[in-house]
Amino acid sequence: MADTVRINLNDIREISTEILEKVGYGRNHASAIADMLYTCQLDDCQSHGLFRLFMCHETMKAGKIDGNAEPVLAESDNAIVRVDARGAMSLLAVEKAMPHLIAKTRKFGIAAMAVNNCFHFSALWPEVEQLSAVGLAGMSMVPSHSWVAPAGGTRGTLGTNPLAFSWPRSGRSPFTFDFATSAFARGEIELYKRAGKPLPEGVAVDANGAPTTDPQAALDGAMLTFGSYKGSALSIMIELLAGPLIDDLTSMESMEFAEGKGGAPYHGQIILAFDPEQFSGGKAAANDARAERLFADIVDQGARLPSQRRFEARKRNQERGYVEVPAALLDDLRNLTA
Ligand code: NDP
Ligand code: PYC
């Protein structure tokens, strides 16, 4: 990589917590955010690693987030775990509710976590991989801000609305995917802008609704969904399941809430968990072999499984003890605390 610098793995959390605490996040939130950034950066997830410190910083500066609120878990005897982030970042709320989601999934076979009133900046795979790590399948969805036009439209109505899924694999890394339902994540467009690179065709339209490959025009205009009307419908589903279903905001409402002040979107999050043992009537181990046959047939033809690049990056970065990031990113992060 041209013009990159190395950051020792040990320094990632330290750089992050210094910036986060200085701008106003309390110790618990700063530490949870730093853990998430470490996890993403370790896997070379550039759009949602250290780069997201800018969004976290801007969110605090915008003045709407609570940097100290402790999440509150609601009591329930059904399969739904409700947790109120109380106007803080989502991560501590998910952390608090996750053991309850796992316990309810083991009890009922299927369970859901509804997180309310959270700011959200992060990738979703670290959370669904907590479920596959204990033998459950998991899915997660969030809306964001209304930056994305529906298929056939020209103005932002939908969020970049990521969808993540993780499936446990005995003795192997899980099958995980996690992607925005927009053609590009917003963070990816921002990285193209920083690198001075044009976008591919089909990612965005400008403020007049004309196709553009200029990242700034894309940020000022409307992003497009992946897969035309198919991605658009999935994105609408995410608006509904992680919005009105759980009594929280859509991406349009999140944008209105922000009042143009910038920062991370504010909304809810839904996480679904499935127990393969209960769904299969106690035959999960036998069915594992059938899932493995499916994965083998994909890999045997030269295709790759999602997250394979990430798992390889993690192994490489762990072995060498550092990650590589653009030099300009580290300079700009240092300026946040200057
Ligand atoms: P990418 O397009 O980078 O990757 C999407 C997924 O597809 C990854 O699991 C990736 O695996 C996999 N993949 C990529 N190429 C291939 C291939 N050739 N064959 C098989 N699988 C492949 O994701 P996005 O840019 O859309 O999203 C990046 C992150 O941004 C996500 O973690 C998402 O959660 C986050 N995000 C968060 C939002 C929020 O509101 N909080 C909003 C939007 C996005 P691999 O990683 O191994 O390449
Ligand atoms: O990259 O689209 C994005 C995004 C939105 C909120 C956090 N990341």
Side-chain angles (χ1 to χ4, degrees), residues 40 43-48 52 55 90 120-126 140 142-145 147 159-165 175-188 223 226 265 267 298 303-312:
C40 288
D43 285 13
D44 283 351
C45 178
Q46 305 296 356
S47 63
H48 287 74
R52 273 292 172 240
M55 183 180 255
S90 62
H120 203 286
F121 73 90
S122 54
L124 303 184
W125 57 263
S140 181
V142 287
S144 61
H145 273 335
W147 293 307
T160 48
N161 299 6
L163 170 66
F165 173 78
F175 171 87
T176 305
F177 68 77
D178 177 15
F179 49 69
T181 46
S182 47
F184 268 32
R186 185 107 178 148
E188 196 64 27
M223 300 163 67
F226 80 84
H267 46 68
I298 293 166
R304 77 148 162 112
L305 295 177
S307 296
Q308 182 192 315
R309 176 205 59 82
R310 212 164 44 70
F311 297 142
E312 285 166 7

Side-chain angles (χ1 to χ4, degrees), residues 54-94:
F54 297 116
M55 183 180 255
C56 295
H57 190 269
E58 189 182 86
T59 307
M60 185 57 75
K61 289 280 184 197
K64 296 203 171 214
I65 193 168
D66 186 328
N68 290 290
E70 287 295 323
V72 172
L73 202 63
E75 291 290 324
S76 86
D77 50 15
N78 61 22
I80 300 166
V81 184
R82 293 187 71 89
V83 59
D84 185 350
R86 298 176 60 235
M89 281 296 182
S90 62
L91 302 177
L92 285 184
V94 174

Side-chain angles (χ1 to χ4, degrees), residues 260-284:
K261 296 195 169 104
Y266 177 68
H267 46 68
Q269 175 173 2
I270 189 163
I271 304 181
L272 306 171
F274 312 84
D275 182 358
E277 197 59 25
Q278 293 203 48
F279 268 92
S280 66
K283 293 193 287 189

